[in-house]
Amino acid sequence: MAIDLREQADVTLRHFISEVCSGLRVERRIAVGRPFEQILEVAKREAADWIVMRERGQI
């Protein structure tokens, strides 16, 4: 089930990037765990300037 959810998230994220973010440099990240912990971990590790998230179920 977790693999199916990751695959679905990947497809949805690719679609969102192609539709909304064309022309921008975008790096995709899919993480499993407590959202706020994962967001902070990735932001620190990547020295992120921006983190953009979509509302659940909305494109």
Side-chain angles (χ1 to χ4, degrees), residues 5 8-9 11-13 15-16 20 53-59:
L5 291 175
Q8 182 180 0
V11 168
T12 301
L13 191 52
H15 174 74
F16 175 78
V20 178
M53 299 178 291
R54 70 181 187 98
E55 185 177 340
R56 182 178 158 192
Q58 302 294 317
I59 289 186

Side-chain angles (χ1 to χ4, degrees), residues 16-44:
F16 175 78
I17 290 169
S18 69
E19 294 291 318
V20 178
C21 304
S22 66
L24 300 175
R25 184 177 149 249
V26 176
E27 296 181 25
R28 296 178 297 118
R29 299 288 186 270
I30 298 172
V32 176
R34 295 175 67 182
F36 75 94
E37 290 174 347
Q38 295 300 315
I39 292 164
L40 290 174
E41 182 181 317
V42 170
K44 286 179 185 177

